[in-house]
Amino acid sequence: MTVLESDLRMSRFVGIEDIAIHVPRLYVDFKDFAEARGINPAKLEHGIGVKKMAMIDTNQDPATMAANACLKLMENNNLAPEDLGRLYIATESGLDESKAMNSYVIGMLEQIYGNSSFEHCGGIECKFACVSGSYALYDNSNWIRAEENDGKAAIVVVSDVAKYDIGSAGEYTQGAGAVAILVKENPRILVFDQKVTATVIKNEHDFFRPFGRQTPLVDGRYSNLLYLIQVKQAMKKYKIKALEGGLFKIGPNESVIDHIDYIALHLPYSKMGKNALAFLLRHEWRDLPKWADIIKQIGMEEPKPRNSNGTIESIITDKEFMENDEKFRKRFMETPQYKEVFNEKLASSLKASEMVGNLYTGSLYMGFRSELEFEHKMGKDLTDKRVGFASYGSGSSAMVFSGVIQPTYLEVVKRMDLEDEIGERKKISIEEYEKLHEGQKGIDETLLSTKKEFVLVKIGKDGVTEGFREYSFTN
Ligand code: CAA
């Protein structure tokens, strides 16, 4: 798939130049976790799709992960602070109700690049659960397209610690990590398609974390269905924009998915991606001629909610429908038609999620990076392939957009190696994990020794420094 002529007439190609990650090296193994909670390990490995959940040490937090990812991105691209005009941080693990995480991150980076070296930069901390990084990317791309950037690039960092209550169903969807994304003109990895970005937004209660709480309040089943519906709605809007703008044409017995070579979805856990693909394909395919053959293979009609008044509550309380729908979905996911799309367009993006767990805002971008690395390692040529991104944030909002991979992605992808980049990992026991989770250890009671990394050294206890964080770079 090539960038269209209509794109070529547009003044500026803007997108992703490079991506750097920082994943903490401590992890909880799914087998230990399953044993401790009395869960069948097969449920975690296959039902959720997680093998290792990354955990932060006592001297790490979302700001250190963000700063470490930024530093790596700057070093890999020989960037000086004056090459950058904006540094945005998107997170739902905010450290302060007022002071933006960016200022802490800039404070850390200035320990390396010199006092006031980032003074000319702008940026804010963005919040909208897991979707805020996508809004930050979109806004920064438009800042460049509008030629407000004075030739400078932007960095968008997504950084989170996904933390749920001990003993809750969310506990096995935890993880931590940061992804720093360099946005510029004529980028090496991917150019965003213009005028197709589609968003939906609604006041919802699926997942939220009121002031003072360390962990969210979650309605798990509700949040799953809401994610699917919101992404489907955004996808519908994306399709209208893409067709109206001439990005592609959809032929008979085709759907929008036929014009998207790779899919990157928000991944609170990897199985969610598999399920979301099934939901989207059912929606896209059910009115096409090929659906009749798929129904024959599934051996049952697609169920419809009986007394639905359109609300999610009315759907999830319809037990019979929910059970039949699950049966139908699982059989659909066994069809060769589903498997082909899954294997060709999505499977590689799930690998990182299995290895590190949930990154909240970072999950979508870690998934995209995973797709690049593992497709490349399989010898696939991704040049000119279109990637469709589906971002979801509880509360809730979804954003669907796309971009085309540039031939120069090869310069970047060849050094991507997730395992090597994370470094030597340390498995922690459930007792150690629980102490970390409950904040029962002091900052200097670390489980790992750190080298060449930003770390948290102090949190002010009283007076005007209460809660203020201090960081340093370990040599
Ligand atoms: N072997 C294999 N699979 C098994 C199994 C076994 N022995 N036992 C169960 N499973 C499967 C189930 O069949 C199910 O599969 P499907 O997805 O195909 O239906 C899967 O394991 C999950 O099991 P349950 O349906 O019993 O679900 P659960 O009670 O474990 O809860 C959850 C899952 C709702 C996601 C819960 O972990 C949760 O609340 N997580 C937090 C909320 C969340 O992540 N929501 C996602 C959308 S919202 C969002 O994305 C925003 C965000 O980032 C938070």
Side-chain angles (χ1 to χ4, degrees):
M1 211 169 278
T2 56
V3 176
L4 293 178
E5 272 176 32
S6 60
D7 287 334
L8 289 168
R9 283 199 300 275
M10 290 178 186
S11 55
R12 302 197 134 192
F13 295 122
V14 180
I16 299 176
E17 166 77 5
D18 197 3
I19 297 172
I21 55 166
H22 181 87
V23 175
R25 289 183 291 129
L26 298 180
Y27 74 91
V28 178
D29 186 84
F30 78 100
K31 287 190 196 125
D32 298 345
F33 187 87
E35 194 184 331
R37 300 286 177 265
I39 303 170
N40 185 337
K43 170 169 175 173
L44 300 188
E45 191 177 8
H46 306 294
I48 296 293
V50 67
K51 291 184 184 144
K52 292 178 180 177
M53 286 187 281
M55 296 286 149
I56 52 169
D57 207 341
T58 54
N59 61 353
Q60 296 176 314
D61 67 15
T64 61
M65 295 193 296
N68 285 315
C70 260
L71 181 61
K72 196 165 153 195
L73 189 68
M74 290 183 68
E75 286 178 348
N76 287 348
N77 290 278
N78 295 318
L79 289 174
E82 53 270 25
D83 298 321
L84 302 168
R86 278 181 158 199
L87 200 158
Y88 267 52
I89 311 268
T91 183
E92 55 185 300
S93 324
L95 300 167
D96 195 291
E97 310 295 1
S98 168
K99 184 175 161 63
M101 201 183 289
N102 313 45
S103 52
Y104 281 130
V105 171
I106 279 171
M108 283 183 253
L109 293 172
E110 288 191 346
Q111 292 180 28
I112 306 290
Y113 292 99
N115 250 345
S116 305
S117 52
F118 280 81
E119 196 181 51
H120 61 281
C121 254
I124 51 165
E125 178 184 317
C126 308
K127 175 168 69 186
F128 203 133
C130 306
V131 73
S132 58
S134 303
Y135 278 97
L137 265 184
Y138 182 55
D139 291 355
N140 279 288
S141 300
N142 287 334
W143 170 71
I144 297 173
R145 288 188 189 117
E147 302 186 22
E148 291 278 345
N149 63 324
D150 298 328
K152 295 185 193 297
I155 292 182
V156 171
V157 196
V158 280
S159 182
D160 269 307
V161 175
K163 184 172 175 181
Y164 291 87
D165 283 338
I166 288 186
S168 70
E171 198 190 3
Y172 34 83
T173 66
Q174 298 184 111
V179 181
I181 304 165
L182 184 58
V183 187
K184 67 181 277 292
E185 254 184 289
N186 303 319
R188 283 184 295 172
I189 298 183
L190 174 131
V191 170
F192 290 126
D193 291 322
Q194 293 196 49
K195 303 193 177 179
V196 289
T197 298
T199 52
V200 293
I201 193 162
K202 198 164 180 246
N203 178 26
E204 281 288 0
H205 63 272
D206 55 327
F207 169 112
F208 56 103
R209 185 164 66 87
F211 288 149
R213 279 189 65 100
Q214 287 279 313
T215 50
L217 297 158
V218 196
D219 189 339
R221 284 207 312 162
Y222 188 99
S223 74
N224 276 354
L225 187 54
L226 188 61
Y227 166 122
L228 300 174
I229 291 171
Q230 293 287 72
V231 165
K232 182 190 81 179
Q233 295 299 88
M235 174 79 104
K236 258 185 179 167
K237 285 174 91 178
Y238 166 86
K239 187 160 79 177
I240 292 168
K241 285 182 149 192
L243 293 178
E244 283 178 359
L247 192 66
F248 45 73
K249 285 191 174 72
I250 298 182
N253 218 11
E254 271 188 2
S255 75
V256 63
I257 309 284
D258 293 299
H259 298 270
I260 290 175
D261 303 294
Y262 287 96
I263 300 166
L265 297 164
H266 168 51
L267 298 172
Y269 53 100
S270 74
K271 182 66 181 306
M272 184 77 214
K274 272 186 168 175
N275 291 348
L277 179 66
F279 188 86
L280 293 173
L281 287 180
R282 282 168 64 181
H283 175 72
E284 287 295 322
W285 288 353
R286 69 169 64 97
D287 294 326
L288 301 182
K290 67 176 166 195
W291 191 240
D293 179 40
I294 295 171
I295 289 289
K296 211 190 266 171
Q297 294 172 59
I298 294 173
M300 67 188 275
E301 285 302 317
E302 191 176 18
K304 288 196 176 74
R306 277 172 314 161
N307 300 314
S308 167
N309 58 14
T311 64
I312 292 178
E313 283 91 349
S314 70
I315 298 172
I316 55 183
T317 51
D318 185 344
K319 263 189 108 183
E320 194 183 324
F321 164 74
M322 289 300 282
E323 278 168 23
N324 284 333
D325 195 66
E326 189 183 328
K327 196 194 285 175
F328 183 90
R329 170 174 55 85
K330 287 187 170 164
R331 288 191 193 176
F332 172 62
M333 288 164 80
E334 289 303 316
T335 62
Q337 288 90 339
Y338 170 85
K339 283 184 174 170
E340 186 188 344
V341 178
F342 172 74
N343 289 327
E344 287 188 3
K345 300 183 191 240
L346 185 70
S348 296
S349 80
L350 308 186
K351 287 187 189 289
S353 174
E354 288 164 13
M355 290 161 69
V356 301
N358 195 352
L359 266 58
Y360 282 164
T361 48
S363 300
L364 172 66
Y365 299 100
M366 183 61 102
F368 170 56
R369 190 201 170 285
S370 177
E371 210 149 47
L372 292 174
E373 177 182 335
F374 293 105
E375 288 293 303
H376 175 66
K377 284 184 172 156
M378 285 193 293
K380 301 262 184 77
D381 179 9
L382 305 186
T383 304
D384 290 337
K385 300 291 182 204
R386 174 159 282 123
V387 183
F389 295 83
S391 192
Y392 175 70
S394 294
S396 78
S397 179
M399 181 187 278
V400 170
F401 54 102
S402 59
V404 175
I405 297 183
Q406 302 302 296
T408 39
Y409 85 99
L410 277 168
E411 294 166 16
V412 187
V413 78
K414 63 183 181 214
R415 65 164 158 68
M416 286 184 178
D417 190 318
L418 184 55
E419 261 185 15
D420 189 56
E421 285 174 61
I422 298 175
E424 200 179 327
R425 300 177 82 176
K426 180 180 161 73
K427 184 171 94 148
I428 53 174
S429 67
I430 294 297
E431 292 71 33
E432 285 168 324
Y433 149 70
E434 285 180 355
K435 277 192 191 150
L436 288 173
H437 188 284
E438 297 303 291
Q440 288 167 359
K441 280 173 164 281
I443 291 173
D444 40 16
E445 292 179 76
T446 57
L447 298 173
L448 283 172
S449 57
T450 29
K451 257 206 319 229
K452 303 222 170 296
E453 211 177 295
F454 292 110
V455 292
L456 174 67
V457 288
K458 187 176 168 192
I459 303 178
K461 289 223 171 1
D462 33 47
V464 288
T465 62
E466 187 186 331
F468 190 82
R469 291 173 176 249
E470 291 178 31
Y471 300 94
S472 76
F473 191 72
T474 55
N475 275 307

